[in-house]
């Protein structure tokens, strides 16, 4: 089973960025521990700060992989292009947000991804990625 985690802008700074909201762990640390816990899953990770690169990656994997776990970060709230890409591909997308976006600014409460996502996980911290992974397994 091939699953990819795709992270959007500023998530390369996890561990350093606003730790009270996003925690102290870097994503690489978390990803490596996740890979160890699921040795039978072909788990990949891609991060970009560039909208078009996120769309290109979704096109590349979106007719072949079993699942995409997508945290499009700020592009969630702005990108018609990423929303359209979720619609265009065949691979189901589970949307993840580390923080509870509904308890934050109003502009974070709209998502271009959610209407076409297989499911949405919000506010569980990094554990949301593992819960999304479990949703593809079970
Ligand atoms: C985020 C929430 C977004 O509103 C924000 O722009 C992010 C991260 C989250 O994981 O909580 O960069 O997607």
């Amino acid at each position: 089973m091939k699953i990819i985690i795709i992270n959007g802008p500023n998530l390369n700074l996890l561990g350093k960025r606003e730790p009270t909201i996003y925690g102290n762990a870097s994503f690489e640390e978390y990803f490596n521990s996740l890979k160890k816990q699921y040795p039978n899953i072909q788990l990949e990770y891609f991060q970009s700060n560039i909208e078009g690169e996120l769309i290109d990656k979704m096109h590349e994997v979106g007719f072949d992989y079993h699942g995409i776990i997508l945290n499009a970060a700020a592009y969630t709230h702005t990108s018609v292009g990423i929303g359209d890409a979720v619609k265009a591909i065949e691979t189901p997308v589970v949307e993840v947000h580390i923080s509870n976006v509904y308890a934050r600014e109003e502009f974070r409460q709209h998502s271009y991804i959610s209407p076409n996502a297989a499911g949405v996980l919000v506010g569980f911290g990094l554990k949301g990625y593992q819960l999304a992974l479990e949703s593809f397994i079970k």
Side-chain angles (χ1 to χ4, degrees):
M1 185 184 256
K2 272 188 186 172
I3 308 275
I4 187 166
I5 295 173
I6 299 180
N7 272 346
N10 302 306
L11 294 173
N12 53 308
L13 294 182
L14 283 176
K16 293 183 195 146
R17 171 194 186 196
E18 299 177 88
T20 51
I21 298 177
Y22 298 111
N24 295 304
S26 77
F27 197 79
E28 284 71 16
E29 277 162 22
Y30 177 76
F31 179 70
N32 287 335
S33 77
L34 206 54
K35 264 182 88 92
K36 276 189 200 133
Q37 286 175 71
Y38 295 88
N40 298 324
I41 307 241
Q42 283 178 264
L43 190 59
E44 292 174 25
Y45 165 53
F46 176 79
Q47 190 277 331
S48 177
N49 295 319
I50 300 166
E51 188 174 8
E53 286 187 1
L54 296 167
I55 294 171
D56 283 346
K57 181 53 83 174
M58 290 171 76
H59 292 178
E60 187 190 314
V61 302
F63 295 87
D64 180 23
Y65 285 38
H66 293 92
I68 296 174
I69 298 168
L70 175 64
N71 185 347
Y75 289 142
T76 306
H77 319 300
T78 63
S79 177
V80 174
I82 293 178
D84 280 354
V86 173
K87 224 181 293 178
I89 61 177
E90 284 172 3
T91 300
V93 172
V94 171
E95 177 181 356
V96 169
H97 298 287
I98 297 164
S99 64
N100 179 358
V101 285
Y102 297 103
R104 300 180 64 192
E105 301 95 326
E106 203 173 331
F107 69 84
R108 296 187 201 276
Q109 295 176 21
H110 175 263
S111 166
Y112 282 102
I113 293 158
S114 301
N116 296 296
V120 183
L121 284 151
V122 164
F124 290 104
L126 288 177
K127 195 171 182 202
Y129 292 94
Q130 182 179 5
L131 296 173
L133 184 57
E134 285 284 338
S135 79
F136 285 117
I137 297 169
K138 297 193 174 134

